[in-house]
Coordinates of all heavy atoms in Angstrom, one line a residue:
M1 N 57.2 146.2 11.7 CA 58.4 145.4 12.1 C 59.0 146.2 13.2 O 59.2 147.5 13.3 CB 59.3 145.3 10.8 CG 60.6 144.7 11.2 SD 61.7 144.6 9.7 CE 61.2 142.8 9.1
N2 N 59.6 145.5 14.2 CA 60.2 146.1 15.3 C 61.5 146.7 15.0 O 62.4 146.0 14.5 CB 60.3 145.0 16.4 CG 60.8 145.5 17.7 OD1 61.5 146.5 17.7 ND2 60.6 144.8 18.7
N3 N 61.6 148.0 15.1 CA 62.9 148.7 14.8 C 64.2 148.1 15.4 O 65.4 148.2 15.0 CB 62.8 150.1 15.0 CG 62.0 150.9 13.9 OD1 61.9 150.3 12.8 ND2 61.7 152.1 14.2
Q4 N 64.0 147.4 16.6 CA 65.1 147.0 17.4 C 65.9 145.7 16.7 O 67.0 145.4 16.9 CB 64.7 146.4 18.8 CG 64.4 147.6 19.7 CD 63.9 147.0 21.0 OE1 63.9 145.9 21.2 NE2 63.4 147.9 21.8
H5 N 65.1 145.2 15.6 CA 65.6 143.9 15.0 C 65.8 144.1 13.6 O 66.0 143.2 12.8 CB 64.6 142.8 15.2 CG 64.3 142.4 16.6 ND1 65.3 141.9 17.4 CD2 63.2 142.5 17.4 CE1 64.9 141.8 18.6 NE2 63.6 142.1 18.7
L6 N 65.9 145.4 13.1 CA 66.3 145.7 11.7 C 67.8 145.8 11.5 O 68.5 146.1 12.4 CB 65.7 147.2 11.4 CG 64.2 147.3 11.4 CD1 63.8 148.8 11.0 CD2 63.6 146.3 10.4
S7 N 68.2 145.3 10.4 CA 69.6 145.3 9.9 C 70.0 146.7 9.6 O 69.1 147.6 9.4 CB 69.8 144.4 8.8 OG 69.2 145.1 7.6
S8 N 71.1 147.0 9.6 CA 71.7 148.3 9.2 C 71.2 148.7 7.9 O 70.7 149.9 7.6 CB 73.3 148.5 9.2 OG 73.8 148.2 10.5
L9 N 71.1 147.8 7.0 CA 70.7 148.0 5.5 C 69.2 148.3 5.5 O 68.7 149.1 4.7 CB 71.0 146.9 4.8 CG 70.9 147.1 3.1 CD1 71.8 148.3 2.7 CD2 71.4 145.8 2.4
Q10 N 68.4 147.7 6.4 CA 66.9 147.9 6.4 C 66.6 149.3 7.0 O 65.9 149.9 6.6 CB 66.2 146.8 7.2 CG 66.1 145.5 6.7 CD 65.7 144.3 7.6 OE1 66.2 144.3 8.7 NE2 64.9 143.3 7.1
R11 N 67.4 149.6 8.1 CA 67.2 150.9 8.6 C 67.5 152.0 7.6 O 67.0 153.1 7.4 CB 68.1 151.2 9.8 CG 67.7 150.4 11.1 CD 68.7 150.7 12.2 NE 68.4 149.7 13.3 CZ 67.6 150.0 14.3 NH1 67.0 151.1 14.3 NH2 67.4 149.0 15.4
L12 N 68.6 151.8 6.9 CA 69.0 152.8 5.8 C 68.0 152.9 4.8 O 67.6 154.1 4.4 CB 70.4 152.3 5.2 CG 70.9 153.2 4.1 CD1 71.2 154.6 4.5 CD2 72.2 152.7 3.3
E13 N 67.4 151.7 4.4 CA 66.4 151.9 3.3 C 65.1 152.7 3.8 O 64.5 153.4 3.1 CB 65.9 150.4 2.9 CG 67.0 149.7 2.1 CD 67.5 150.5 0.9 OE1 66.7 151.2 0.2 OE2 68.7 150.3 0.5
Q14 N 64.9 152.5 5.1 CA 63.8 153.4 5.8 C 64.2 154.8 5.7 O 63.3 155.7 5.3 CB 63.6 153.0 7.1 CG 62.9 151.8 7.4 CD 62.6 151.4 8.9 OE1 63.3 152.0 9.7 NE2 61.6 150.5 9.1
C15 N 65.4 155.3 6.0 CA 65.9 156.5 5.7 C 65.7 157.0 4.3 O 65.2 158.1 4.0 CB 67.4 156.7 6.2 SG 67.6 156.5 7.9
F16 N 66.1 156.2 3.4 CA 65.9 156.6 1.9 C 64.5 156.9 1.6 O 64.1 157.8 0.8 CB 66.6 155.6 1.1 CG 68.0 155.5 1.0 CD1 68.6 154.3 0.6 CD2 68.8 156.5 1.3 CE1 70.0 154.2 0.7 CE2 70.2 156.5 1.2 CZ 70.6 155.3 0.9
E17 N 63.5 156.1 2.2 CA 62.1 156.2 2.0 C 61.6 157.5 2.5 O 60.9 158.3 1.9 CB 61.3 155.0 2.6 CG 61.5 153.8 1.7 CD 60.8 152.6 2.6 OE1 60.1 152.8 3.5 OE2 61.2 151.4 2.1
S18 N 62.2 157.9 3.6 CA 61.7 159.2 4.3 C 62.3 160.3 3.4 O 61.6 161.4 3.3 CB 62.3 159.3 5.6 OG 61.5 158.4 6.5
I19 N 63.6 160.2 2.9 CA 64.1 161.3 2.1 C 63.3 161.5 0.8 O 63.0 162.6 0.5 CB 65.6 160.9 1.8 CG1 66.5 161.1 3.2 CG2 66.2 161.8 0.7 CD1 67.9 160.4 3.0
E20 N 63.0 160.3 0.3 CA 62.2 160.4 -0.9 C 60.8 161.1 -0.7 O 60.3 161.9 -1.5 CB 62.1 159.0 -1.5 CG 61.3 159.0 -3.0 CD 61.3 157.6 -3.5 OE1 62.2 156.8 -3.3 OE2 60.3 157.3 -4.1
A21 N 60.3 160.7 0.5 CA 58.9 161.3 0.7 C 58.9 162.8 1.2 O 58.1 163.6 0.6 CB 58.3 160.5 1.8
W22 N 60.0 163.2 1.8 CA 60.0 164.6 2.4 C 60.9 165.5 1.7 O 60.5 166.7 1.8 CB 60.3 164.4 3.9 CG 59.3 163.8 4.7 CD1 59.2 162.6 5.2 CD2 58.1 164.5 5.2 NE1 58.0 162.4 5.9 CE2 57.3 163.6 5.9 CE3 57.6 165.8 5.1 CZ2 56.1 164.0 6.6 CZ3 56.5 166.1 5.7 CH2 55.6 165.3 6.4
N23 N 61.9 165.1 1.1 CA 62.9 166.1 0.5 C 62.2 167.0 -0.6 O 62.5 168.3 -0.6 CB 64.1 165.3 -0.1 CG 65.3 166.3 0.0 OD1 65.5 167.0 0.9 ND2 65.9 166.4 -1.1
P24 N 61.3 166.5 -1.3 CA 60.7 167.4 -2.3 C 59.8 168.5 -1.6 O 59.8 169.7 -2.1 CB 59.7 166.4 -3.1 CG 60.2 165.1 -3.0 CD 60.9 165.2 -1.6
L25 N 59.4 168.3 -0.4 CA 58.8 169.4 0.3 C 59.7 170.3 1.2 O 59.5 171.5 1.3 CB 57.8 168.7 1.4 CG 56.8 167.8 0.6 CD1 56.0 167.1 1.7 CD2 55.9 168.6 -0.1
V26 N 60.7 169.8 1.7 CA 61.6 170.5 2.7 C 63.0 170.7 2.1 O 63.7 171.7 2.6 CB 61.7 169.9 4.0 CG1 60.5 169.7 4.7 CG2 62.4 168.6 3.9
N27 N 63.2 170.2 1.0 CA 64.7 170.4 0.4 C 65.9 170.4 1.3 O 66.7 171.3 1.4 CB 64.7 171.8 -0.5 CG 65.7 171.9 -1.4 OD1 66.2 170.8 -1.9 ND2 66.1 173.0 -1.7
A28 N 65.9 169.3 2.3 CA 67.0 169.3 3.2 C 68.2 168.6 2.8 O 69.2 168.8 3.3 CB 66.3 168.6 4.5
M29 N 68.0 167.7 1.8 CA 69.1 166.9 1.3 C 69.6 167.5 0.0 O 68.9 167.5 -1.0 CB 68.8 165.5 1.2 CG 68.4 164.8 2.6 SD 69.8 164.8 3.6 CE 68.9 164.1 5.1
M30 N 70.9 167.8 -0.2 CA 71.4 168.2 -1.4 C 72.1 167.0 -2.2 O 71.7 166.9 -3.3 CB 72.5 169.3 -1.2 CG 71.9 170.5 -0.7 SD 73.2 171.8 -0.5 CE 73.7 172.1 -2.2
I31 N 72.8 166.2 -1.6 CA 73.5 165.0 -2.1 C 73.1 163.8 -1.2 O 73.1 163.9 0.0 CB 75.0 165.2 -1.9 CG1 75.4 166.5 -2.7 CG2 75.6 164.0 -2.6 CD1 75.3 166.4 -4.1
V32 N 72.7 162.8 -1.8 CA 72.5 161.5 -1.1 C 73.2 160.5 -1.6 O 73.1 160.1 -2.9 CB 70.9 161.1 -1.1 CG1 70.6 159.8 -0.4 CG2 70.0 162.3 -0.5
D33 N 74.1 160.0 -0.9 CA 75.2 158.9 -1.3 C 74.7 157.6 -1.2 O 75.0 156.9 -0.3 CB 76.5 159.1 -0.7 CG 77.7 158.2 -1.1 OD1 77.5 157.6 -2.2 OD2 78.6 158.0 -0.4
T34 N 73.7 157.2 -2.0 CA 73.0 156.0 -1.8 C 73.9 154.8 -2.0 O 73.9 153.8 -1.1 CB 71.8 155.8 -2.7 OG1 72.3 156.1 -4.1 CG2 70.6 156.8 -2.6
D35 N 74.8 154.7 -3.0 CA 75.7 153.6 -3.1 C 76.7 153.5 -1.9 O 77.0 152.4 -1.5 CB 76.4 153.9 -4.5 CG 75.6 153.7 -5.6 OD1 74.5 153.1 -5.6 OD2 76.0 154.1 -6.8
G36 N 77.3 154.6 -1.5 CA 78.2 154.6 -0.5 C 77.5 154.2 0.8 O 78.1 153.5 1.7
A37 N 76.4 154.7 1.1 CA 75.6 154.5 2.3 C 75.3 152.9 2.4 O 75.5 152.2 3.5 CB 74.5 155.3 2.3
R38 N 74.9 152.3 1.1 CA 74.5 150.9 1.1 C 75.7 150.0 1.4 O 75.6 149.1 2.0 CB 73.8 150.6 -0.2 CG 72.4 151.0 -0.2 CD 71.6 150.7 -1.5 NE 70.3 151.0 -1.5 CZ 69.7 151.9 -2.3 NH1 70.4 152.4 -3.4 NH2 68.5 152.0 -2.2
R39 N 76.9 150.5 0.8 CA 78.1 149.7 1.0 C 78.5 149.7 2.5 O 78.9 148.6 3.0 CB 79.4 150.2 0.1 CG 79.2 149.8 -1.3 CD 80.5 150.2 -2.0 NE 80.9 151.6 -1.9 CZ 80.4 152.5 -2.8 NH1 79.7 152.2 -3.8 NH2 80.8 153.7 -2.6
A40 N 78.3 150.9 3.1 CA 78.8 150.9 4.6 C 77.8 150.2 5.5 O 78.0 149.5 6.3 CB 78.7 152.5 5.0
A41 N 76.4 150.2 5.0 CA 75.4 149.4 5.8 C 75.7 147.9 5.6 O 75.6 147.2 6.7 CB 74.1 149.8 5.3
Q42 N 76.0 147.5 4.4 CA 76.3 146.1 4.3 C 77.5 145.7 5.0 O 77.6 144.6 5.6 CB 76.5 145.9 2.8 CG 76.6 144.4 2.4 CD 75.3 143.5 2.9 OE1 74.3 143.8 2.4 NE2 75.5 142.6 3.8
A43 N 78.5 146.6 5.0 CA 79.8 146.1 5.8 C 79.4 146.1 7.4 O 80.0 145.2 8.0 CB 80.7 147.3 5.6
A44 N 78.5 147.0 7.8 CA 78.1 146.8 9.2 C 77.4 145.6 9.5 O 77.6 145.0 10.5 CB 77.3 148.1 9.6
D45 N 76.5 145.2 8.6 CA 75.8 144.0 8.7 C 76.7 142.7 8.7 O 76.6 141.8 9.4 CB 74.6 143.8 7.6 CG 73.5 144.8 8.0 OD1 73.4 145.3 9.1 OD2 72.7 145.0 7.0
D46 N 77.7 142.8 7.7 CA 78.6 141.7 7.6 C 79.4 141.5 8.9 O 79.6 140.4 9.4 CB 79.5 141.8 6.4 CG 78.8 141.8 5.2 OD1 77.6 141.3 5.1 OD2 79.4 142.2 4.1
A47 N 79.9 142.7 9.4 CA 80.6 142.7 10.7 C 79.8 142.0 11.8 O 80.3 141.2 12.7 CB 81.1 144.1 10.9
A48 N 78.7 142.5 11.9 CA 77.7 142.1 13.0 C 77.5 140.6 12.9 O 77.5 139.9 13.9 CB 76.3 142.8 13.0
A49 N 77.4 140.1 11.6 CA 77.1 138.6 11.4 C 78.4 137.9 11.9 O 78.3 136.6 12.2 CB 76.8 138.3 10.0
Q50 N 79.6 138.5 11.9 CA 80.7 137.9 12.3 C 81.1 138.1 13.8 O 82.1 137.6 14.2 CB 82.0 138.4 11.5 CG 81.9 138.1 10.0 CD 82.8 138.9 9.1 OE1 83.7 139.5 9.7 NE2 82.8 138.8 7.7
G51 N 80.2 138.9 14.5 CA 80.4 139.0 15.9 C 81.3 140.3 16.2 O 81.7 140.5 17.3
R52 N 81.6 141.0 15.1 CA 82.5 142.2 15.3 C 81.7 143.5 15.5 O 80.6 143.6 14.8 CB 83.4 142.3 14.1 CG 84.3 141.2 13.9 CD 85.4 141.5 12.8 NE 84.6 141.6 11.5 CZ 84.7 142.7 10.8 NH1 85.2 143.7 11.2 NH2 84.1 142.6 9.6
S53 N 82.3 144.5 16.1 CA 81.6 145.8 16.2 C 82.5 146.8 15.4 O 83.8 146.8 15.5 CB 81.4 146.3 17.6 OG 81.1 147.6 17.7
L54 N 81.8 147.7 14.8 CA 82.6 148.7 14.0 C 82.7 150.0 14.9 O 83.4 151.0 14.4 CB 81.9 149.2 12.7 CG 81.7 148.0 11.7 CD1 81.0 148.5 10.4 CD2 83.1 147.4 11.4
G55 N 82.1 150.1 16.0 CA 82.3 151.1 17.0 C 81.0 151.6 17.7 O 79.9 150.8 17.5
L56 N 81.0 152.6 18.4 CA 79.8 153.0 19.0 C 78.6 153.4 18.2 O 77.5 153.2 18.7 CB 80.2 154.2 19.9 CG 81.0 153.9 21.3 CD1 81.4 155.2 21.9 CD2 80.5 153.0 22.1
L57 N 78.9 153.8 17.1 CA 77.6 154.1 16.1 C 77.5 153.1 15.0 O 77.1 153.3 14.0 CB 78.0 155.4 15.6 CG 78.1 156.6 16.5 CD1 78.6 157.9 15.8 CD2 76.9 156.7 17.3
H58 N 77.8 151.8 15.4 CA 77.9 150.7 14.4 C 76.6 150.8 13.6 O 75.4 150.5 14.1 CB 78.0 149.4 15.1 CG 77.9 148.2 14.3 ND1 79.1 147.4 14.1 CD2 77.1 147.7 13.5 CE1 78.9 146.4 13.3 NE2 77.6 146.5 12.9
G59 N 76.6 151.0 12.3 CA 75.5 150.9 11.4 C 74.5 152.0 11.4 O 73.4 151.8 10.8
I60 N 74.8 153.0 12.1 CA 73.8 154.0 12.3 C 73.9 155.0 11.1 O 74.9 155.5 10.8 CB 74.1 154.9 13.5 CG1 74.0 154.0 14.9 CG2 73.0 156.1 13.7 CD1 72.6 153.4 15.2
P61 N 72.7 155.2 10.4 CA 72.8 156.0 9.3 C 72.8 157.5 9.7 O 72.3 157.9 10.7 CB 71.4 156.0 8.6 CG 70.8 154.7 9.1 CD 71.5 154.5 10.5
I62 N 73.7 158.3 9.0 CA 73.8 159.7 9.4 C 73.6 160.6 8.2 O 73.8 160.2 7.1 CB 75.1 160.1 10.1 CG1 76.4 159.7 9.0 CG2 75.3 159.3 11.3 CD1 77.6 160.2 9.5
A63 N 73.3 161.9 8.5 CA 73.2 162.9 7.5 C 74.4 164.1 7.9 O 74.6 164.3 9.1 CB 72.0 163.6 7.4
V64 N 75.2 164.4 7.0 CA 76.2 165.4 7.2 C 75.8 166.8 6.6 O 75.5 166.8 5.4 CB 77.5 165.0 6.7 CG1 78.6 165.9 6.9 CG2 77.9 163.7 7.3
K65 N 75.9 167.8 7.4 CA 75.6 169.1 6.8 C 76.6 169.4 5.7 O 77.7 169.2 5.7 CB 75.6 170.2 7.9 CG 75.1 171.6 7.4 CD 74.9 172.4 8.7 CE 74.6 173.8 8.4 NZ 73.3 174.0 7.9
D66 N 76.0 170.3 4.6 CA 76.8 170.5 3.4 C 78.0 171.4 3.8 O 78.7 172.1 2.8 CB 76.0 171.0 2.3 CG 76.5 171.3 1.0 OD1 77.3 170.4 0.6 OD2 76.5 172.3 0.4
N67 N 78.2 171.8 5.0 CA 79.4 172.7 5.3 C 80.6 171.9 5.7 O 81.5 172.4 6.2 CB 79.1 173.8 6.1 CG 78.8 173.4 7.6 OD1 78.4 172.3 7.8 ND2 78.5 174.4 8.5
L68 N 80.5 170.6 5.8 CA 81.5 169.7 6.3 C 82.0 168.9 5.0 O 81.3 168.4 4.3 CB 81.0 168.8 7.3 CG 80.5 169.4 8.6 CD1 79.9 168.3 9.5 CD2 81.6 170.2 9.4
D69 N 83.4 168.9 4.8 CA 83.9 168.2 3.8 C 83.7 166.7 3.9 O 83.8 166.1 5.0 CB 85.5 168.4 3.8 CG 85.8 169.7 3.2 OD1 84.9 170.4 2.6 OD2 87.0 170.1 3.2
T70 N 83.4 166.0 2.8 CA 83.1 164.6 2.6 C 84.0 164.1 1.5 O 83.5 164.5 0.3 CB 81.6 164.4 2.6 OG1 81.1 165.3 1.4 CG2 80.8 164.6 3.8
A71 N 84.8 163.4 1.8 CA 85.8 162.9 0.7 C 85.1 162.2 -0.5 O 84.3 161.3 -0.3 CB 86.8 161.9 1.3
G72 N 85.4 162.7 -1.7 CA 84.7 162.1 -2.8 C 83.3 162.5 -3.2 O 82.7 162.1 -4.2
L73 N 82.6 163.2 -2.3 CA 81.3 163.7 -2.5 C 81.3 165.3 -2.6 O 81.9 165.9 -1.9 CB 80.4 163.4 -1.4 CG 80.2 161.8 -1.1 CD1 79.4 161.6 0.1 CD2 79.5 161.4 -2.3
R74 N 80.6 165.7 -3.5 CA 80.4 167.2 -3.7 C 80.0 167.9 -2.5 O 79.0 167.5 -1.8 CB 79.3 167.5 -4.9 CG 79.2 168.9 -5.2 CD 78.4 169.1 -6.6 NE 77.1 168.7 -6.5 CZ 76.0 169.2 -6.2 NH1 76.2 170.6 -6.0 NH2 74.8 168.7 -6.2
T75 N 80.7 168.8 -2.1 CA 80.5 169.6 -0.9 C 80.4 171.1 -1.3 O 81.5 171.6 -1.6 CB 81.5 169.4 0.2 OG1 81.5 167.9 0.4 CG2 81.1 170.0 1.6
T76 N 79.3 171.7 -1.1 CA 79.1 173.2 -1.8 C 79.2 174.2 -0.7 O 79.3 175.3 -1.1 CB 77.9 173.3 -2.5 OG1 76.8 173.3 -1.6 CG2 77.7 172.2 -3.6
Y77 N 79.2 173.8 0.6 CA 79.1 174.9 1.7 C 77.9 175.9 1.5 O 77.8 176.9 2.0 CB 80.4 175.7 1.7 CG 81.6 175.0 1.7 CD1 82.5 175.1 0.6 CD2 82.0 174.0 2.8 CE1 83.6 174.2 0.7 CE2 83.1 173.2 2.6 CZ 84.0 173.4 1.6 OH 85.0 172.5 1.6
G78 N 76.9 175.3 0.8 CA 75.6 176.1 0.6 C 75.9 177.3 -0.5 O 75.1 178.3 -0.4
S79 N 77.0 177.2 -1.3 CA 77.3 178.3 -2.2 C 77.4 177.8 -3.6 O 78.1 176.9 -3.9 CB 78.5 179.0 -1.7 OG 79.0 179.9 -2.7
G80 N 76.9 178.6 -4.5 CA 77.1 178.3 -6.0 C 78.5 178.4 -6.4 O 79.0 177.7 -7.4
F81 N 79.2 179.2 -5.7 CA 80.8 179.3 -6.0 C 81.4 177.9 -5.8 O 82.3 177.7 -6.6 CB 81.4 180.2 -5.0 CG 82.8 180.6 -5.3 CD1 83.3 181.4 -6.4 CD2 83.9 179.9 -4.5 CE1 84.6 181.6 -6.7 CE2 85.2 180.2 -4.9 CZ 85.5 181.1 -5.9
F82 N 81.0 177.1 -4.9 CA 81.5 175.7 -4.7 C 80.6 174.7 -5.3 O 80.8 173.5 -5.0 CB 81.8 175.5 -3.2 CG 82.7 176.4 -2.5 CD1 82.3 177.5 -1.8 CD2 84.0 176.2 -2.7 CE1 83.3 178.4 -1.3 CE2 85.0 177.0 -2.1 CZ 84.5 178.1 -1.4
K83 N 79.8 174.8 -6.2 CA 78.9 173.9 -6.8 C 79.7 172.7 -7.4 O 79.1 171.6 -7.4 CB 78.1 174.5 -7.8 CG 78.8 174.9 -9.1 CD 77.8 175.6 -10.1 CE 78.6 176.0 -11.4 NZ 77.7 176.9 -12.2
N84 N 81.0 172.7 -7.7 CA 81.7 171.6 -8.2 C 82.8 171.1 -7.3 O 83.6 170.3 -7.7 CB 82.2 172.0 -9.7 CG 81.1 172.3 -10.6 OD1 80.1 171.5 -10.8 ND2 81.5 173.4 -11.5
H85 N 82.8 171.6 -6.0 CA 83.8 171.2 -5.1 C 83.6 169.8 -4.7 O 82.6 169.5 -4.2 CB 84.0 172.1 -4.0 CG 84.9 171.9 -2.9 ND1 86.2 171.8 -3.1 CD2 84.6 171.5 -1.6 CE1 86.8 171.5 -1.9 NE2 85.8 171.3 -1.1
V86 N 84.7 169.0 -4.8 CA 84.7 167.7 -4.3 C 86.0 167.5 -3.5 O 87.1 167.3 -4.1 CB 84.6 166.6 -5.4 CG1 84.7 165.2 -5.0 CG2 83.5 166.9 -6.4
P87 N 85.9 167.5 -2.2 CA 87.1 167.3 -1.3 C 87.7 166.0 -1.4 O 87.1 165.1 -1.7 CB 86.5 167.7 0.0 CG 85.1 167.5 0.0 CD 84.7 167.6 -1.4
T88 N 89.1 166.0 -1.1 CA 89.8 164.8 -1.1 C 89.8 164.1 0.1 O 90.2 163.1 0.4 CB 91.2 164.9 -1.6 OG1 91.8 165.9 -0.9 CG2 91.1 165.4 -3.2
K89 N 89.5 164.8 1.2 CA 89.6 164.3 2.6 C 88.2 164.8 3.3 O 87.6 165.6 3.1 CB 90.7 164.9 3.4 CG 92.1 164.5 2.8 CD 93.3 165.1 3.5 CE 93.2 165.9 4.7 NZ 94.4 166.4 5.4
D90 N 88.0 163.8 4.3 CA 86.9 164.2 5.3 C 87.2 165.2 6.3 O 88.3 165.3 6.7 CB 86.4 162.9 6.0 CG 85.6 162.0 5.2 OD1 85.1 162.3 4.1 OD2 85.7 160.8 5.5
A91 N 86.2 166.1 6.6 CA 86.4 166.9 7.8 C 86.6 166.0 9.0 O 86.3 164.7 9.1 CB 85.2 167.7 8.0
T92 N 87.3 166.5 10.0 CA 87.5 165.7 11.2 C 86.4 165.1 11.8 O 86.3 163.9 12.2 CB 88.3 166.6 12.4 OG1 89.6 167.1 11.7 CG2 88.6 165.8 13.5
V93 N 85.3 165.8 11.9 CA 84.0 165.2 12.5 C 83.4 164.0 11.7 O 83.0 163.0 12.2 CB 82.9 166.3 12.8 CG1 82.4 167.1 11.6 CG2 81.8 165.8 13.7
V94 N 83.5 164.2 10.3 CA 83.1 163.2 9.4 C 83.9 162.0 9.6 O 83.4 160.8 9.6 CB 83.0 163.7 7.9 CG1 82.7 162.6 7.0 CG2 82.1 164.8 7.8
R95 N 85.3 162.1 9.7 CA 86.2 161.0 9.7 C 85.9 160.3 11.1 O 85.9 159.0 11.1 CB 87.6 161.5 9.8 CG 88.7 160.4 10.0 CD 90.2 160.9 9.8 NE 90.4 162.3 10.5 CZ 90.6 162.3 11.9 NH1 90.5 161.3 12.6 NH2 90.8 163.5 12.4
R96 N 85.7 161.1 12.2 CA 85.4 160.5 13.5 C 84.1 159.6 13.4 O 83.9 158.7 14.1 CB 85.4 161.4 14.5 CG 86.9 161.9 14.8 CD 87.0 163.0 16.0 NE 88.3 163.3 16.2 CZ 88.7 164.1 17.2 NH1 87.8 164.8 17.8 NH2 89.9 164.4 17.2
L97 N 83.1 160.2 12.8 CA 81.8 159.5 12.6 C 82.0 158.1 11.9 O 81.4 157.2 12.3 CB 80.7 160.4 12.0 CG 80.1 161.5 12.8 CD1 79.5 162.5 11.9 CD2 79.2 161.0 13.8
R98 N 82.7 158.3 10.9 CA 83.0 157.0 10.1 C 83.8 156.0 11.0 O 83.4 154.8 11.0 CB 83.8 157.3 8.8 CG 82.9 158.0 7.7 CD 83.8 158.2 6.5 NE 83.4 159.3 5.7 CZ 82.5 159.2 4.5 NH1 81.9 158.0 4.3 NH2 82.3 160.2 3.9
Q99 N 84.8 156.5 11.7 CA 85.6 155.6 12.6 C 84.8 155.0 13.7 O 85.0 153.9 14.0 CB 86.8 156.4 13.1 CG 87.9 156.7 12.2 CD 89.0 157.7 12.7 OE1 88.7 158.3 13.8 NE2 90.1 157.7 12.0
A100 N 83.6 155.6 14.1 CA 82.8 155.1 15.1 C 81.8 154.2 14.6 O 80.9 153.7 15.3 CB 82.1 156.4 15.9
G101 N 81.8 153.9 13.2 CA 80.9 152.8 12.6 C 79.6 153.4 12.0 O 78.8 152.7 11.5
A102 N 79.5 154.8 12.0 CA 78.3 155.5 11.4 C 78.5 155.4 9.8 O 79.5 155.2 9.3 CB 78.2 157.0 11.9

């Protein structure tokens, strides 16, 4: 399938397939917010169907390093000391990525 014509949800599912295949080998992903990512991808697809843009990064799947706060998601900063830390706000860069439609 030509990647230029994939929906945001289809692109996201490709990312999930890659994570499933590679993460056991490279251990790069600590937390994968599948539900939140699917909701965001569906919102991007719905907006596109209505002719609206969510921003410069409309529907682009992203990964955020574990040293950046992500509201509602466990963020450990790579330390066992923070293994149960769940921030209430996004880090500025995460907020801006979301605002840009990622």
Side-chain angles (χ1 to χ4, degrees):
M1 182 177 265
N2 184 337
N3 280 340
Q4 293 178 4
H5 302 294
L6 294 179
S7 70
S8 296
L9 196 53
Q10 288 170 317
R11 287 179 193 270
L12 179 64
E13 294 302 330
Q14 286 182 338
C15 290
F16 288 154
E17 289 172 14
S18 293
I19 290 168
E20 187 176 323
W22 288 100
N23 204 51
L25 301 170
V26 298
N27 197 29
M29 301 289 179
M30 294 183 64
I31 305 291
V32 179
D33 182 17
T34 54
D35 293 338
R38 284 186 176 120
R39 281 191 303 272
Q42 187 61 58
D45 288 343
D46 292 347
Q50 297 168 4
R52 295 183 300 113
S53 172
L54 298 181
L56 292 174
L57 301 176
H58 182 114
I60 303 293
I62 60 164
V64 176
K65 190 168 171 73
D66 189 46
N67 66 348
L68 298 170
D69 283 348
T70 48
L73 294 175
R74 188 166 57 99
T75 304
T76 71
Y77 313 114
S79 169
F81 184 78
F82 292 102
K83 68 182 178 189
N84 296 316
H85 174 64
V86 179
T88 58
K89 295 182 354 182
D90 285 333
T92 300
V93 67
V94 174
R95 180 177 43 81
R96 288 182 178 177
L97 285 165
R98 292 184 199 267
Q99 288 173 340

